[in-house]
Amino acid sequence: MIVNGAPIRSCLMLAVQVDGTVVETVEGLGNAGALSPLQQAFATNHGLQCGFCTPGMLMTLEAYLRATPAPSEQDIRIAISGNICRCTGYEGIVQAALDTVSAKASRT
Ligand code: FES
């Protein structure tokens, strides 16, 4: 999840610790009618298999891409280095992030 703009491991934070903070979860990225650009890029690039890691990957990348508008592929790999995908779907995940960056750049 993202707390006050920073990616946080929800399993390491007590509910009382987020009292008074801005908390964003994967459920808030898109809506029922439309995925967020990053979520759509994950779907397009097969960035998920079992989906176990997907919420963490999405929220880590969402926070990272907000703060880093033009990362390299290596930067993205470093940004997600704290997240493990046991399905080894890293290629699709990294490509999804790169596509999101490219799409953002073409809109500006
Ligand atoms: S998609 Fe299965 S753990 Fe990442």
Side-chain angles (χ1 to χ4, degrees):
M1 64 187 189
I2 299 172
V3 177
N4 286 343
I8 301 291
R9 292 179 183 90
S10 58
C11 60
L12 297 178
M13 182 168 263
L14 299 173
V16 70
Q17 292 176 287
V18 297
D19 186 32
T21 65
V22 176
V23 177
E24 299 171 73
T25 64
V26 72
E27 290 81 5
L29 279 186
N31 59 53
L35 297 173
S36 74
L38 184 59
Q39 287 174 312
Q40 185 58 56
F42 264 63
T44 302
N45 290 285
H46 308 289
L48 64 145
Q49 294 173 53
C50 77
F52 188 81
C53 71
T54 307
M57 288 288 189
L58 284 167
M59 298 312 283
T60 296
L61 283 167
E62 179 71 22
Y64 179 70
L65 295 178
R66 286 179 190 169
T68 313
S72 67
E73 179 180 338
Q74 184 64 21
D75 293 336
I76 291 168
R77 290 184 183 278
I78 291 168
I80 61 168
S81 63
N83 298 63
I84 295 173
C85 176
R86 29 181 215 184
C87 299
T88 67
Y90 297 103
E91 293 303 318
I93 292 166
V94 170
Q95 191 57 53
L98 288 168
D99 283 4
T100 302
V101 170
S102 293
K104 253 187 216 171
S106 68
R107 287 194 304 267
T108 57

